[in-house]
Amino acid sequence: GYRLAGTFTDAADPVAAALVLQGSGKTDRNTDSRLPGGQMLRGGVTRAVAEALTKAGVSTLRYDKRGVGASQGDILRVGMADRRADAHAALDWLAGRVPGVPLLAVGHSEGAFYAAELAADGAVAGAVLLSAGARPGEQILTWQTAEITARLPTLANGIIRLLHIDVIGSQRKRVAKIKAARGDVIRIQGFRFNARWFRDFLAYDPVPVLARISVPVLAITGGQDVQVPPDDVAAIGRLVHGPFEGHVVGDLSHLLRPDPGSVGPRGYKRAVRQPVSPEVLDLITAW
């Protein structure tokens, strides 16, 4: 019952067609997102991937998720099942526009979950999983909280120690509140929050999905990613049954830009001034 808006780019004499899926949050078809206060973080991951694929002879479709950009719906009431259904609908649309060629799914971060599901269901001939996790959502959240906290500036860490702030414990309390909530939307520290999606993510386990994949898979994660464990690339390789190629690339962050200082999310505004890693794009198009 919702209309999704996106960008379809048809390559000349395409050798394949790819559905390109963005990550979590209020991200549009390009992986650009609006931050609190109205500023835009121009992540550009899915746009860069789509443009590289088009040059390699692959037609692409990417779309604004429900309630973001030009798509209809309410982002605060969308769960993972909705996003999964939207991905299937978009793939069906793409198959109708580019018949007779292999279909591929390319997902970044949360989008990699849906790309993997499409591959597990046999809906695509191959999948690219960028910055993908291979453990339950709650474990990923605990891991990233510890990693990000460890990388806070010295002053911030000093204040945390001085005030005896238990960052992990505080996170557990927020998680417990979200789990206990029954509505789609709750308020946390004055902000409206999508509790439905968060509950879905906490409970989501990609392992059984990955274990059902028999088509070729390419997995790439940055070596300085602090939002998903880079070690999960190897885990994906052990789980899937089709041909597998995996890469942990140098000093790249979750947004696939250089992060030699391992700063993490607090450095994203500066990092996105650089393009998405050409090495990553070359790995995708070569595959």
Side-chain angles (χ1 to χ4, degrees):
Y2 294 100
R3 184 178 295 276
L4 302 179
T7 297
F8 169 68
T9 307
D10 198 6
D13 298 320
V15 296
L19 178 65
V20 186
L21 301 161
Q22 72 277 59
S24 61
K26 297 179 180 179
T27 46
D28 66 13
R29 68 192 77 178
N30 298 322
T31 319
D32 297 344
S33 57
R34 191 168 297 281
L35 303 174
Q39 285 187 311
M40 289 293 292
L41 179 68
R42 307 226 175 252
V45 175
T46 42
R47 180 181 59 191
V49 169
E51 290 173 349
L53 285 170
T54 300
K55 291 177 182 177
V58 178
S59 297
T60 63
L61 172 65
R62 63 192 194 274
Y63 60 89
D64 299 335
K65 61 177 66 171
R66 292 194 203 188
V68 175
S71 289
Q72 297 176 340
D74 183 352
I75 185 66
L76 291 177
R77 299 185 184 278
V78 174
M80 289 184 72
D82 300 315
R83 291 217 60 206
R84 185 183 304 115
D86 292 346
H88 274 281
L91 187 71
D92 289 345
W93 186 94
L94 180 61
R97 288 298 296 262
V98 195
V101 300
L103 295 174
L104 306 173
V106 183
H108 175 248
S109 192
E110 183 197 354
F113 291 151
Y114 310 120
E117 292 201 17
L118 291 170
D121 292 344
V124 293
V128 179
L129 311 180
L130 304 173
S131 307
R135 61 189 73 189
E138 190 161 359
Q139 291 184 23
I140 292 175
L141 183 65
T142 299
W143 183 89
Q144 69 178 227
T145 300
E147 293 294 314
I148 291 170
T149 301
R151 288 162 172 77
L152 289 174
T154 303
L155 178 59
N157 265 316
I159 293 171
I160 288 171
R161 288 194 297 270
L162 180 66
L163 299 179
H164 303 289
I165 297 172
D166 181 0
V167 176
I168 301 296
S170 296
Q171 182 214 63
R172 289 196 186 106
K173 290 179 181 177
R174 287 192 294 271
V175 167
K177 180 178 179 180
I178 294 167
K179 283 182 173 180
R182 290 294 174 263
D184 291 345
V185 183
I186 63 173
R187 285 191 178 272
I188 296 180
Q189 296 179 334
F191 292 95
R192 296 176 74 224
F193 193 79
N194 185 334
R196 179 185 174 195
W197 178 87
F198 211 90
R199 287 193 298 268
D200 290 348
F201 170 70
L202 292 170
Y204 186 78
D205 186 357
V207 170
V209 175
L210 292 166
R212 290 194 293 114
I213 296 177
S214 58
V215 297
V217 170
L218 170 67
I220 305 172
T221 297
Q224 296 289 9
D225 197 322
V226 297
Q227 291 183 247
V228 296
D231 290 347
D232 280 8
V233 168
I236 293 169
R238 292 191 294 269
L239 287 164
V240 301
H241 295 287
F244 176 75
E245 182 180 329
H247 301 271
V248 176
V249 183
D251 62 357
L252 302 187
S253 71
H254 192 68
L255 293 184
L256 303 174
R257 268 87 163 190
D259 183 13
S262 192
V263 173
R266 63 188 175 87
Y268 285 172
K269 286 184 182 180
R270 177 173 294 180
V272 296
R273 298 172 189 169
Q274 305 176 69
V276 170
S277 166
E279 182 179 356
V280 169
L281 299 179
D282 288 344
L283 287 169
I284 295 170
T285 55
W287 177 85

